[in-house]
Amino acid sequence: MNTLFKGITAILPDEESGFSAKVCDIAVSDSVISYIGDDAVGNGFVPDRTIDGRDKLITAGLVNSHTHSYMSLFRNSADDLMFHTWLFDRIMPMEDKLTAEDMYYGTQLACLEMIKTGTTAFLDMNIARDCITRAISESGLKATISRGLVGNGRDDEGGKTRIEDTLYDMRTYGDNKRLKFMMGPHAIYTTDRGYLELVMEKAAEYGLGINIHLSESVKEIEDCIAQNGCSPVKYLDDMGMFKFHTVAAHCVQLSDEDIDILAERGVYAATNPISNAKLGNGFARIPDMLDKGVKLCIGTDSAGSNNTLNMFSDMNFICLAHKGNCRSATAVSARQALKMATETGAKALGFDNTGILKEGYAADLTVMDMKYPSLQPVNDPVAAMCYSASGYEVESVMVDGEFLMENREIKGMDEERIYFECNKAMKRIDG
């Protein structure tokens, strides 16, 4: 299928400013962007369909670099609680009541929300084999999937079973080219050194990267120093974890040494600004990490702690929170936030051919309707995405040249059934 977006305002990569906006033609041939320029048809492109780009904005699809999709069930059910109370006293007891069907529909709800707000790829950490990956696969989104791994020692049977869950999903869904996999040790406080070493051995055996929560709370730092004599970042670096492609979620409580280690090792730091603030864990040192060259990307975390999976909200918050916290209007710019939410996020997930609008790259695209009072007049579309868009201006979403949503119509998902099943599940779990 050849699709032409005719005369559309596009956010394109720009070496000087990061991004610039230009009215142009964008041609999609099957799954890739085949042309960006002034006249696609004049340059030989033959469209099967042409979409009028007037009053529309097109950008690379957003990438959510950290979430727990099944936890969309827990939206607005565990609020105004400190982190460890939230996790151990509220979330985990509800997780213990989940069925495979619950998690399937909770994940479908997450995918539905992400599509409707312009996300085309995400990094997920889950708690079960098959049902969650099946729901993601059916959504059409791109995803890098990691089974959350918890264990003590190399011989922990539960820990070994969780690793096998990852391998099962890899075998079962490996033919889906929109899915990738990582090993997902949950955190240093839910694993010990022996188990982490086992996880790294499996990652090496199967050529996988690692997705881990890191330096999220003050308690995590204090406990690690008391037990290991160093910070969590230094602890993992000393055992060799950062030799792997690593995505470290949160990275809120970092020392200068920690930031240097992350930069030198090329670790992707997935900041979750709204979730970290809401749970009282604080603000990551984003301006310092940018200055040191840390590879920064943005995640929403789960709907149980954010409480949405809307990347527009997190792009807005990461800019505003750090401007206020640093008392500097230049602390984090809209262009820096958009890069974190697209190009760097895609690389963190292991998708090297997406995340920017460029010929030869995957046609993972988000199209927005700009005829909203809050977006008019259209002066700087990049600023509009970070400072005035809500996310629900998104009109169409395309992955690999396939529309997952077109003119706000979702393809291939039963919205009403998803809502019904999720509400039914939570009445049983938390009735």
Side-chain angles (χ1 to χ4, degrees), residues 356-415:
I356 57 175
L357 295 186
K358 185 176 180 180
E359 291 178 7
Y361 272 51
D364 299 341
L365 310 173
T366 294
V367 180
M368 298 171 63
D369 179 2
M370 298 297 283
K371 293 197 78 173
Y372 279 80
S374 58
L375 300 181
Q376 292 290 330
V378 182
N379 292 316
D380 179 355
V382 177
M385 287 190 69
C386 287
Y387 298 133
S388 57
S390 70
Y392 287 95
E393 303 87 353
V394 173
E395 182 180 271
S396 299
V397 170
M398 176 180 277
V399 173
D400 283 339
E402 174 192 357
F403 280 109
L404 304 187
M405 179 172 74
E406 186 174 8
N407 297 322
R408 296 190 174 86
E409 180 185 346
I410 292 286
K411 312 286 186 179
M413 299 179 78
D414 186 340
E415 288 188 59

Short mmCIF file of all heavy atoms in Angstrom, two decimals, residues 356-415:
data_model
loop_
_atom_site.label_atom_id
_atom_site.label_comp_id
_atom_site.label_asym_id
_atom_site.label_seq_id
_atom_site.Cartn_x
_atom_site.Cartn_y
_atom_site.Cartn_z
N ILE A 356 12.25 8.79 14.32
CA ILE A 356 12.37 10.08 13.62
C ILE A 356 11.71 9.94 12.25
O ILE A 356 11.56 8.83 11.73
CB ILE A 356 13.83 10.55 13.45
CG1 ILE A 356 14.67 9.51 12.70
CG2 ILE A 356 14.47 10.90 14.78
CD1 ILE A 356 16.09 10.00 12.40
N LEU A 357 11.31 11.09 11.70
CA LEU A 357 10.81 11.10 10.33
C LEU A 357 11.99 11.21 9.38
O LEU A 357 12.64 12.26 9.29
CB LEU A 357 9.85 12.28 10.12
CG LEU A 357 8.56 12.29 10.91
CD1 LEU A 357 7.66 13.45 10.47
CD2 LEU A 357 7.81 10.97 10.77
N LYS A 358 12.27 10.12 8.70
CA LYS A 358 13.44 10.06 7.82
C LYS A 358 13.20 9.01 6.75
O LYS A 358 12.64 7.94 7.04
CB LYS A 358 14.70 9.71 8.63
CG LYS A 358 15.99 9.74 7.85
CD LYS A 358 17.17 9.46 8.78
CE LYS A 358 18.48 9.47 8.03
NZ LYS A 358 19.63 9.20 8.94
N GLU A 359 13.59 9.30 5.53
CA GLU A 359 13.42 8.32 4.46
C GLU A 359 14.16 7.04 4.79
O GLU A 359 15.30 7.05 5.27
CB GLU A 359 13.95 8.91 3.14
CG GLU A 359 13.09 10.05 2.61
CD GLU A 359 13.64 10.64 1.33
OE1 GLU A 359 14.61 10.09 0.78
OE2 GLU A 359 13.12 11.69 0.88
N GLY A 360 13.49 5.91 4.56
CA GLY A 360 14.07 4.61 4.86
C GLY A 360 13.73 4.10 6.24
O GLY A 360 13.97 2.92 6.55
N TYR A 361 13.19 4.95 7.09
CA TYR A 361 12.81 4.54 8.43
C TYR A 361 11.38 3.99 8.43
O TYR A 361 10.59 4.24 7.53
CB TYR A 361 12.89 5.73 9.40
CG TYR A 361 14.27 5.90 10.03
CD1 TYR A 361 15.42 5.93 9.25
CD2 TYR A 361 14.42 6.01 11.41
CE1 TYR A 361 16.67 6.09 9.81
CE2 TYR A 361 15.67 6.16 11.99
CZ TYR A 361 16.79 6.20 11.19
OH TYR A 361 18.03 6.33 11.75
N ALA A 362 11.08 3.23 9.48
CA ALA A 362 9.74 2.64 9.61
C ALA A 362 8.69 3.74 9.68
O ALA A 362 8.90 4.79 10.28
CB ALA A 362 9.68 1.77 10.86
N ALA A 363 7.56 3.47 9.04
CA ALA A 363 6.45 4.42 9.05
C ALA A 363 5.64 4.24 10.33
O ALA A 363 4.52 3.73 10.34
CB ALA A 363 5.57 4.22 7.82
N ASP A 364 6.27 4.66 11.45
CA ASP A 364 5.63 4.69 12.75
C ASP A 364 5.29 6.15 13.02
O ASP A 364 6.15 6.93 13.43
CB ASP A 364 6.55 4.13 13.83
CG ASP A 364 6.95 2.68 13.57
OD1 ASP A 364 6.26 2.00 12.80
OD2 ASP A 364 7.97 2.25 14.14
N LEU A 365 4.04 6.52 12.80
CA LEU A 365 3.68 7.93 12.67
C LEU A 365 2.48 8.29 13.54
O LEU A 365 1.57 7.48 13.73
CB LEU A 365 3.32 8.25 11.21
CG LEU A 365 4.32 7.80 10.14
CD1 LEU A 365 3.75 8.03 8.75
CD2 LEU A 365 5.64 8.55 10.31
N THR A 366 2.51 9.52 14.05
CA THR A 366 1.39 10.08 14.78
C THR A 366 0.91 11.33 14.05
O THR A 366 1.72 12.22 13.75
CB THR A 366 1.81 10.43 16.22
OG1 THR A 366 2.11 9.21 16.92
CG2 THR A 366 0.70 11.16 16.95
N VAL A 367 -0.38 11.39 13.77
CA VAL A 367 -0.97 12.53 13.07
C VAL A 367 -1.94 13.23 14.02
O VAL A 367 -2.82 12.59 14.60
CB VAL A 367 -1.71 12.08 11.80
CG1 VAL A 367 -2.32 13.28 11.08
CG2 VAL A 367 -0.76 11.33 10.86
N MET A 368 -1.76 14.56 14.15
CA MET A 368 -2.59 15.35 15.06
C MET A 368 -3.44 16.35 14.28
O MET A 368 -2.99 16.91 13.28
CB MET A 368 -1.71 16.10 16.06
CG MET A 368 -0.89 15.19 16.96
SD MET A 368 0.31 16.13 17.95
CE MET A 368 -0.79 17.14 18.94
N ASP A 369 -4.64 16.56 14.78
CA ASP A 369 -5.52 17.61 14.26
C ASP A 369 -5.16 18.91 14.99
O ASP A 369 -5.27 19.00 16.21
CB ASP A 369 -6.97 17.22 14.54
CG ASP A 369 -7.97 18.27 14.06
OD1 ASP A 369 -7.54 19.28 13.48
OD2 ASP A 369 -9.17 18.05 14.28
N MET A 370 -4.72 19.92 14.24
CA MET A 370 -4.27 21.17 14.85
C MET A 370 -5.38 22.21 15.00
O MET A 370 -5.13 23.31 15.51
CB MET A 370 -3.12 21.75 14.03
CG MET A 370 -1.89 20.86 13.97
SD MET A 370 -1.15 20.60 15.60
CE MET A 370 -0.29 22.16 15.83
N LYS A 371 -6.58 21.87 14.58
CA LYS A 371 -7.67 22.85 14.67
C LYS A 371 -8.34 22.76 16.05
O LYS A 371 -9.52 22.37 16.18
CB LYS A 371 -8.67 22.65 13.54
CG LYS A 371 -8.08 22.99 12.16
CD LYS A 371 -9.14 23.19 11.10
CE LYS A 371 -9.78 24.56 11.24
NZ LYS A 371 -10.71 24.85 10.12
N TYR A 372 -7.57 23.09 17.06
CA TYR A 372 -8.05 23.22 18.43
C TYR A 372 -7.67 24.61 18.92
O TYR A 372 -6.58 25.10 18.63
CB TYR A 372 -7.39 22.16 19.33
CG TYR A 372 -8.01 20.80 19.25
CD1 TYR A 372 -7.71 19.93 18.20
CD2 TYR A 372 -8.91 20.35 20.22
CE1 TYR A 372 -8.28 18.68 18.12
CE2 TYR A 372 -9.49 19.10 20.15
CZ TYR A 372 -9.17 18.26 19.10
OH TYR A 372 -9.74 17.03 19.02
N PRO A 373 -8.52 25.25 19.71
CA PRO A 373 -8.17 26.59 20.20
C PRO A 373 -6.83 26.62 20.92
O PRO A 373 -6.07 27.59 20.78
CB PRO A 373 -9.33 26.92 21.15
CG PRO A 373 -10.48 26.12 20.65
CD PRO A 373 -9.88 24.86 20.12
N SER A 374 -6.52 25.56 21.66
CA SER A 374 -5.28 25.55 22.44
C SER A 374 -4.04 25.40 21.58
O SER A 374 -2.92 25.60 22.06
CB SER A 374 -5.32 24.41 23.46
OG SER A 374 -5.52 23.16 22.80
N LEU A 375 -4.19 25.04 20.31
CA LEU A 375 -3.05 24.86 19.42
C LEU A 375 -2.96 25.95 18.35
O LEU A 375 -2.07 25.91 17.50
CB LEU A 375 -3.12 23.49 18.73
CG LEU A 375 -3.13 22.27 19.66
CD1 LEU A 375 -3.18 20.99 18.84
CD2 LEU A 375 -1.91 22.26 20.57
N GLN A 376 -3.84 26.91 18.41
CA GLN A 376 -3.86 27.98 17.41
C GLN A 376 -3.41 29.31 18.04
O GLN A 376 -3.68 29.56 19.21
CB GLN A 376 -5.28 28.13 16.85
CG GLN A 376 -5.75 26.95 16.01
CD GLN A 376 -5.02 26.83 14.70
OE1 GLN A 376 -4.59 27.83 14.13
NE2 GLN A 376 -4.90 25.60 14.20
N PRO A 377 -2.73 30.17 17.28
CA PRO A 377 -2.21 29.91 15.94
C PRO A 377 -1.04 28.92 16.00
O PRO A 377 -0.38 28.79 17.03
CB PRO A 377 -1.75 31.29 15.47
CG PRO A 377 -1.39 32.00 16.74
CD PRO A 377 -2.37 31.52 17.76
N VAL A 378 -0.78 28.27 14.89
CA VAL A 378 0.30 27.28 14.83
C VAL A 378 1.61 28.03 14.62
O VAL A 378 1.99 28.33 13.49
CB VAL A 378 0.05 26.26 13.71
CG1 VAL A 378 1.17 25.21 13.71
CG2 VAL A 378 -1.30 25.60 13.87
N ASN A 379 2.28 28.30 15.69
CA ASN A 379 3.56 29.01 15.61
C ASN A 379 4.72 28.02 15.61
O ASN A 379 5.36 27.79 14.60
CB ASN A 379 3.68 30.00 16.76
CG ASN A 379 2.70 31.15 16.62
OD1 ASN A 379 2.55 31.71 15.54
ND2 ASN A 379 2.02 31.51 17.70
N ASP A 380 4.98 27.38 16.77
CA ASP A 380 6.04 26.39 16.87
C ASP A 380 5.40 25.05 17.23
O ASP A 380 5.02 24.83 18.39
CB ASP A 380 7.06 26.80 17.93
CG ASP A 380 8.18 25.79 18.09
OD1 ASP A 380 8.15 24.71 17.45
OD2 ASP A 380 9.11 26.07 18.88
N PRO A 381 5.26 24.13 16.27
CA PRO A 381 4.59 22.86 16.57
C PRO A 381 5.28 22.02 17.64
O PRO A 381 4.61 21.26 18.34
CB PRO A 381 4.58 22.14 15.21
CG PRO A 381 4.64 23.24 14.20
CD PRO A 381 5.52 24.28 14.82
N VAL A 382 6.61 22.13 17.76
CA VAL A 382 7.31 21.37 18.80
C VAL A 382 6.89 21.88 20.18
O VAL A 382 6.58 21.10 21.10
CB VAL A 382 8.83 21.45 18.63
CG1 VAL A 382 9.54 20.70 19.77
CG2 VAL A 382 9.25 20.85 17.28
N ALA A 383 6.87 23.20 20.34
CA ALA A 383 6.40 23.78 21.59
C ALA A 383 4.95 23.39 21.85
O ALA A 383 4.56 23.09 23.00
CB ALA A 383 6.55 25.30 21.56
N ALA A 384 4.14 23.36 20.80
CA ALA A 384 2.74 22.98 20.95
C ALA A 384 2.61 21.56 21.52
O ALA A 384 1.76 21.30 22.38
CB ALA A 384 2.02 23.08 19.61
N MET A 385 3.45 20.64 21.05
CA MET A 385 3.37 19.26 21.53
C MET A 385 3.67 19.16 23.01
O MET A 385 3.05 18.36 23.73
CB MET A 385 4.33 18.37 20.74
CG MET A 385 3.89 18.08 19.32
SD MET A 385 4.90 16.82 18.54
CE MET A 385 4.42 15.35 19.45
N CYS A 386 4.60 19.96 23.49
CA CYS A 386 5.02 19.85 24.89
C CYS A 386 4.26 20.76 25.84
O CYS A 386 4.12 20.43 27.02
CB CYS A 386 6.52 20.15 25.00
SG CYS A 386 7.56 18.83 24.35
N TYR A 387 3.78 21.90 25.35
CA TYR A 387 3.23 22.88 26.26
C TYR A 387 1.73 23.12 26.14
O TYR A 387 1.12 23.63 27.07
CB TYR A 387 3.96 24.22 26.09
CG TYR A 387 5.43 24.16 26.41
CD1 TYR A 387 6.37 24.71 25.55
CD2 TYR A 387 5.88 23.55 27.57
CE1 TYR A 387 7.73 24.66 25.84
CE2 TYR A 387 7.23 23.49 27.87
CZ TYR A 387 8.15 24.05 26.99
OH TYR A 387 9.49 23.99 27.29
N SER A 388 1.12 22.77 25.01
CA SER A 388 -0.31 23.07 24.89
C SER A 388 -1.15 21.90 24.41
O SER A 388 -2.38 21.95 24.53
CB SER A 388 -0.54 24.27 23.97
OG SER A 388 0.01 24.07 22.69
N ALA A 389 -0.56 20.83 23.91
CA ALA A 389 -1.34 19.66 23.48
C ALA A 389 -1.69 18.80 24.68
O ALA A 389 -0.92 18.69 25.64
CB ALA A 389 -0.55 18.85 22.46
N SER A 390 -2.85 18.16 24.62
CA SER A 390 -3.27 17.24 25.69
C SER A 390 -3.01 15.79 25.32
O SER A 390 -2.99 14.91 26.19
CB SER A 390 -4.75 17.42 25.96
OG SER A 390 -5.52 16.92 24.87
N GLY A 391 -2.82 15.51 24.03
CA GLY A 391 -2.69 14.13 23.55
C GLY A 391 -3.92 13.66 22.81
O GLY A 391 -3.83 12.81 21.93
N TYR A 392 -5.06 14.22 23.16
CA TYR A 392 -6.29 13.77 22.52
C TYR A 392 -6.59 14.55 21.24
O TYR A 392 -7.65 14.38 20.64
CB TYR A 392 -7.44 13.78 23.51
CG TYR A 392 -7.28 12.63 24.48
CD1 TYR A 392 -6.66 12.81 25.71
CD2 TYR A 392 -7.65 11.34 24.11
CE1 TYR A 392 -6.45 11.74 26.57
CE2 TYR A 392 -7.45 10.26 24.96
CZ TYR A 392 -6.85 10.46 26.19
OH TYR A 392 -6.63 9.39 27.03
N GLU A 393 -5.62 15.36 20.79
CA GLU A 393 -5.68 15.91 19.45
C GLU A 393 -5.20 14.89 18.42
O GLU A 393 -5.32 15.11 17.21
CB GLU A 393 -4.81 17.17 19.33
CG GLU A 393 -5.15 18.28 20.30
CD GLU A 393 -4.46 18.14 21.64
OE1 GLU A 393 -3.79 17.10 21.89
OE2 GLU A 393 -4.56 19.06 22.46
N VAL A 394 -4.64 13.78 18.90
CA VAL A 394 -4.17 12.73 17.98
C VAL A 394 -5.35 12.18 17.20
O VAL A 394 -6.37 11.76 17.78
CB VAL A 394 -3.45 11.62 18.75
CG1 VAL A 394 -3.13 10.44 17.82
CG2 VAL A 394 -2.16 12.15 19.38
N GLU A 395 -5.20 12.15 15.90
CA GLU A 395 -6.28 11.74 15.00
C GLU A 395 -6.03 10.35 14.41
O GLU A 395 -6.95 9.55 14.27
CB GLU A 395 -6.39 12.77 13.88
CG GLU A 395 -7.49 12.53 12.88
CD GLU A 395 -7.51 13.62 11.83
OE1 GLU A 395 -8.20 14.63 12.05
OE2 GLU A 395 -6.81 13.48 10.79
N SER A 396 -4.76 10.09 14.06
CA SER A 396 -4.42 8.81 13.43
C SER A 396 -3.05 8.36 13.92
O SER A 396 -2.18 9.18 14.20
CB SER A 396 -4.41 8.94 11.90
OG SER A 396 -5.68 9.33 11.40
N VAL A 397 -2.89 7.04 13.99
CA VAL A 397 -1.63 6.44 14.41
C VAL A 397 -1.31 5.29 13.46
O VAL A 397 -2.18 4.44 13.19
CB VAL A 397 -1.69 5.94 15.87
CG1 VAL A 397 -0.47 5.09 16.20
CG2 VAL A 397 -1.80 7.11 16.83
N MET A 398 -0.08 5.28 12.97
CA MET A 398 0.36 4.27 12.01
C MET A 398 1.61 3.57 12.55
O MET A 398 2.51 4.22 13.10
CB MET A 398 0.67 4.96 10.67
CG MET A 398 1.24 4.06 9.60
SD MET A 398 1.57 4.97 8.04
CE MET A 398 -0.07 4.96 7.29
N VAL A 399 1.65 2.25 12.42
CA VAL A 399 2.83 1.47 12.78
C VAL A 399 3.19 0.59 11.59
O VAL A 399 2.34 -0.14 11.07
CB VAL A 399 2.59 0.61 14.03
CG1 VAL A 399 3.79 -0.32 14.28
CG2 VAL A 399 2.36 1.49 15.25
N ASP A 400 4.43 0.70 11.13
CA ASP A 400 4.88 -0.05 9.96
C ASP A 400 3.93 0.13 8.78
O ASP A 400 3.64 -0.81 8.03
CB ASP A 400 5.02 -1.54 10.27
CG ASP A 400 6.29 -1.85 11.07
OD1 ASP A 400 7.23 -1.04 11.04
OD2 ASP A 400 6.32 -2.91 11.73
N GLY A 401 3.44 1.35 8.60
CA GLY A 401 2.58 1.67 7.47
C GLY A 401 1.14 1.22 7.62
O GLY A 401 0.32 1.43 6.72
N GLU A 402 0.79 0.64 8.77
CA GLU A 402 -0.58 0.16 9.02
C GLU A 402 -1.26 1.09 10.02
O GLU A 402 -0.71 1.36 11.10
CB GLU A 402 -0.53 -1.26 9.59
CG GLU A 402 -1.89 -1.80 10.03
CD GLU A 402 -1.79 -3.07 10.84
OE1 GLU A 402 -0.67 -3.58 11.04
OE2 GLU A 402 -2.84 -3.54 11.32
N PHE A 403 -2.44 1.56 9.70
CA PHE A 403 -3.19 2.40 10.63
C PHE A 403 -3.73 1.55 11.79
O PHE A 403 -4.50 0.61 11.56
CB PHE A 403 -4.34 3.10 9.92
CG PHE A 403 -3.95 4.32 9.15
CD1 PHE A 403 -3.97 4.31 7.76
CD2 PHE A 403 -3.54 5.48 9.81
CE1 PHE A 403 -3.61 5.45 7.04
CE2 PHE A 403 -3.17 6.60 9.10
CZ PHE A 403 -3.20 6.60 7.71
N LEU A 404 -3.33 1.88 13.00
CA LEU A 404 -3.94 1.28 14.19
C LEU A 404 -5.14 2.12 14.64
O LEU A 404 -6.05 1.61 15.28
CB LEU A 404 -2.93 1.19 15.33
CG LEU A 404 -1.63 0.43 15.05
CD1 LEU A 404 -0.82 0.28 16.33
CD2 LEU A 404 -1.89 -0.92 14.42
N MET A 405 -5.09 3.40 14.30
CA MET A 405 -6.23 4.29 14.50
C MET A 405 -6.24 5.27 13.33
O MET A 405 -5.21 5.82 12.97
CB MET A 405 -6.11 5.07 15.82
CG MET A 405 -7.27 6.05 16.07
SD MET A 405 -7.26 6.81 17.72
CE MET A 405 -5.90 7.98 17.56
N GLU A 406 -7.40 5.46 12.72
CA GLU A 406 -7.53 6.40 11.62
C GLU A 406 -8.78 7.24 11.83
O GLU A 406 -9.86 6.71 12.05
CB GLU A 406 -7.61 5.67 10.28
CG GLU A 406 -7.60 6.62 9.09
CD GLU A 406 -7.53 5.91 7.76
OE1 GLU A 406 -7.63 4.67 7.72
OE2 GLU A 406 -7.36 6.61 6.74
N ASN A 407 -8.59 8.56 11.80
CA ASN A 407 -9.70 9.48 12.07
C ASN A 407 -10.41 9.12 13.37
O ASN A 407 -11.63 9.13 13.47
CB ASN A 407 -10.68 9.50 10.90
CG ASN A 407 -10.03 10.01 9.63
OD1 ASN A 407 -9.22 10.95 9.66
ND2 ASN A 407 -10.36 9.39 8.51
N ARG A 408 -9.59 8.78 14.36
CA ARG A 408 -10.02 8.44 15.73
C ARG A 408 -10.78 7.12 15.81
O ARG A 408 -11.35 6.79 16.87
CB ARG A 408 -10.83 9.58 16.36
CG ARG A 408 -10.01 10.85 16.55
CD ARG A 408 -10.73 11.90 17.39
NE ARG A 408 -9.83 13.02 17.63
CZ ARG A 408 -9.66 14.06 16.82
NH1 ARG A 408 -10.35 14.10 15.68
NH2 ARG A 408 -8.82 15.04 17.11
N GLU A 409 -10.78 6.35 14.76
CA GLU A 409 -11.41 5.02 14.80
C GLU A 409 -10.34 3.96 15.02
O GLU A 409 -9.42 3.81 14.22
CB GLU A 409 -12.14 4.73 13.49
CG GLU A 409 -12.81 3.37 13.47
CD GLU A 409 -13.44 3.04 12.14
OE1 GLU A 409 -13.61 3.96 11.30
OE2 GLU A 409 -13.76 1.85 11.92
N ILE A 410 -10.46 3.25 16.13
CA ILE A 410 -9.51 2.19 16.47
C ILE A 410 -9.77 0.97 15.60
O ILE A 410 -10.92 0.56 15.40
CB ILE A 410 -9.64 1.81 17.96
CG1 ILE A 410 -9.15 2.95 18.84
CG2 ILE A 410 -8.87 0.53 18.26
CD1 ILE A 410 -7.66 3.15 18.88
N LYS A 411 -8.69 0.40 15.07
CA LYS A 411 -8.80 -0.79 14.23
C LYS A 411 -8.51 -2.04 15.05
O LYS A 411 -7.50 -2.13 15.74
CB LYS A 411 -7.79 -0.72 13.08
CG LYS A 411 -7.76 0.61 12.32
CD LYS A 411 -8.95 0.78 11.42
CE LYS A 411 -8.81 2.04 10.57
NZ LYS A 411 -9.93 2.23 9.64
N GLY A 412 -9.39 -3.00 15.02
CA GLY A 412 -9.08 -4.33 15.55
C GLY A 412 -9.13 -4.48 17.06
O GLY A 412 -8.64 -5.47 17.60
N MET A 413 -9.70 -3.52 17.78
CA MET A 413 -9.86 -3.66 19.22
C MET A 413 -11.30 -3.30 19.59
O MET A 413 -11.86 -2.35 19.07
CB MET A 413 -8.87 -2.77 19.99
CG MET A 413 -7.41 -3.09 19.73
SD MET A 413 -6.28 -1.99 20.64
CE MET A 413 -6.39 -2.73 22.27
N ASP A 414 -11.87 -4.08 20.50
CA ASP A 414 -13.25 -3.89 20.92
C ASP A 414 -13.25 -3.03 22.19
O ASP A 414 -13.11 -3.55 23.31
CB ASP A 414 -13.91 -5.24 21.17
CG ASP A 414 -15.40 -5.14 21.48
OD1 ASP A 414 -15.86 -4.04 21.87
OD2 ASP A 414 -16.10 -6.16 21.36
N GLU A 415 -13.39 -1.72 22.03
CA GLU A 415 -13.28 -0.80 23.17
C GLU A 415 -14.29 -1.13 24.26
O GLU A 415 -13.94 -1.18 25.45
CB GLU A 415 -13.48 0.64 22.70
CG GLU A 415 -12.35 1.21 21.88
CD GLU A 415 -12.54 2.69 21.63
OE1 GLU A 415 -12.63 3.45 22.63
OE2 GLU A 415 -12.60 3.09 20.45
#
